[in-house]
């Protein structure tokens, strides 16, 4: 078994920039026919990748989009995101929109694609986040939605087995064109990178490679799983705060 997806049709939601574009490109390089859908067109031409404008918060439009596709082998629910916003700085309705985008729209898309995925014995890949498994000050609604997404995927994997496999990529910090909005300029990005055991932020292609793996025959017996793509996570803060058990200069 290998990661080849030659001849298969893959839909990537929100696949026009950043992580989504990296995922779409990885599937195209694996031989798949790739269609991305988002509200805005890609900023640059994506070789071998089709684009359809779609508001994923419009269920009738989502159903029409999937019904028009002759075949779907893989659905990657990537669309999502959030601005930095403290809980008390916005009303509940605004936080609810974040939850809708990051949790309800993946459910909407998955249900719309289900029959074609079932016929193709296909796969769903949810793009989750480490924010769903830890406190997320400034993005609490986003973290709550991503926690729900991971649980949704596990339930979906049981309900839709054996015809459809469903897994989640739990993604850490990724370097994209918007990274500076989260971490500041290059000094901030470098400082944040040093907190990752592997010493760098992920590239979109790292997430894309993992998504291709989960969708491929190489992962034929993997369903209901959560794959951490976070460079080793975060070094525990207490290790740096403690005054004991520090590495000696000889060990550097």
């Amino acid at each position: 078994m290998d990661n080849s997806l030659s001849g298969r049709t893959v839909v990537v939601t929100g696949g026009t920039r950043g992580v989504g574009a990296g995922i779409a490109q990885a599937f195209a390089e694996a031989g798949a026919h790739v269609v991305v859908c988002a509200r805005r067109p890609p900023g640059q031409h994506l070789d071998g990748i089709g684009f359809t404008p779609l508001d994923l918060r419009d269920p009738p439009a989502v159903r029409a989009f999937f019904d028009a596709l002759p075949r779907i082998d893989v659905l990657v629910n990537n669309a999502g995101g959030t601005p930095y916003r403290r809980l008390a700085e916005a009303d509940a309705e605004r936080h609810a929109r974040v939850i809708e985008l990051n949790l309800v729209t993946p459910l909407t898309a998955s249900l719309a694609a289900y029959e074609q995925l079932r016929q193709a014995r296909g796969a769903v890949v949810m793009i989750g986040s480490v924010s769903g498994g830890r406190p997320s000050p400034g993005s609490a609604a986003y973290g709550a939605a991503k926690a729900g997404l991971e649980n949704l995927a596990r339930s979906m994997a049981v309900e839709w087995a054996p015809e459809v496999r469903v897994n989640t990529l739990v993604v850490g910090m990724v370097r994209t064109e918007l990274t500076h909005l989260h971490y500041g300029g290059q000094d901030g990005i470098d400082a944040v990178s040093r907190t990752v055991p592997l010493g760098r932020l992920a590239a979109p292609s790292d997430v894309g490679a993992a998504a291709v793996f989960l969708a491929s025959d190489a992962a034929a017996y993997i369903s209901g799983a959560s794959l951490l793509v976070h460079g080793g996570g975060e070094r525990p803060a207490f290790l740096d705060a403690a005054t004991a058990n520090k590495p000696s200069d000889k060990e550097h």
Side-chain angles (χ1 to χ4, degrees), residues 99-233:
I99 294 173
E100 178 187 23
L101 176 61
N102 290 280
L103 177 57
V104 178
T105 64
L107 175 59
T108 301
S110 298
L111 290 171
Y114 169 68
E115 188 56 36
Q116 288 128 304
L117 289 167
R118 186 187 67 81
Q119 292 177 8
R121 298 187 73 86
V124 176
V125 180
M126 303 290 197
I127 304 302
S129 170
V130 293
S131 293
R134 57 159 169 75
S136 299
S139 58
Y142 174 80
K146 290 300 188 180
L149 184 67
E150 196 171 347
N151 186 274
L152 174 65
R154 290 181 185 138
S155 296
M156 196 179 289
V158 175
E159 288 198 18
W160 291 3
E163 291 87 3
V164 181
R165 295 187 300 106
V166 185
N167 293 291
T168 303
L169 288 182
V170 182
V171 180
M173 296 177 289
V174 185
R175 183 158 192 169
T176 71
E177 63 271 26
L178 300 178
T179 301
H180 65 283
L181 298 178
H182 299 280
Y183 311 126
Q186 189 59 51
D187 288 347
I189 293 170
D190 290 343
V192 171
S193 296
R194 288 192 292 271
T195 70
V196 180
L198 288 188
R200 65 176 177 87
L201 305 186
S205 59
D206 293 317
V207 183
V212 168
F213 164 69
L214 284 181
S216 75
D217 291 342
Y221 198 64
I222 299 175
S223 193
S226 297
L227 176 60
L228 292 166
V229 184
H230 61 4

Side-chain angles (χ1 to χ4, degrees), residues 16-40:
T16 58
R17 62 181 182 174
V19 172
I23 292 170
Q25 191 62 51
F27 275 101
E29 291 172 358
H33 170 62
V34 182
V35 178
V36 300
C37 56
R39 286 186 299 164
R40 293 184 294 272

Side-chain angles (χ1 to χ4, degrees), residues 48-131:
I49 298 170
F51 169 72
T52 299
L54 180 64
D55 186 345
L56 289 155
R57 295 168 298 183
D58 182 349
V62 173
R63 288 190 286 269
F65 165 74
F66 283 103
D67 287 346
L69 294 175
R71 178 185 179 95
I72 306 169
D73 296 278
V74 179
L75 169 62
V76 182
N77 282 306
N78 164 77
T82 185
Y84 181 88
R85 183 181 292 127
R86 292 269 182 177
L87 281 171
E89 294 173 356
D91 56 30
E93 290 84 353
R94 183 165 293 186
H95 292 303
R97 288 197 289 273
V98 173
I99 294 173
E100 178 187 23
L101 176 61
N102 290 280
L103 177 57
V104 178
T105 64
L107 175 59
T108 301
S110 298
L111 290 171
Y114 169 68
E115 188 56 36
Q116 288 128 304
L117 289 167
R118 186 187 67 81
Q119 292 177 8
R121 298 187 73 86
V124 176
V125 180
M126 303 290 197
I127 304 302
S129 170
V130 293
S131 293

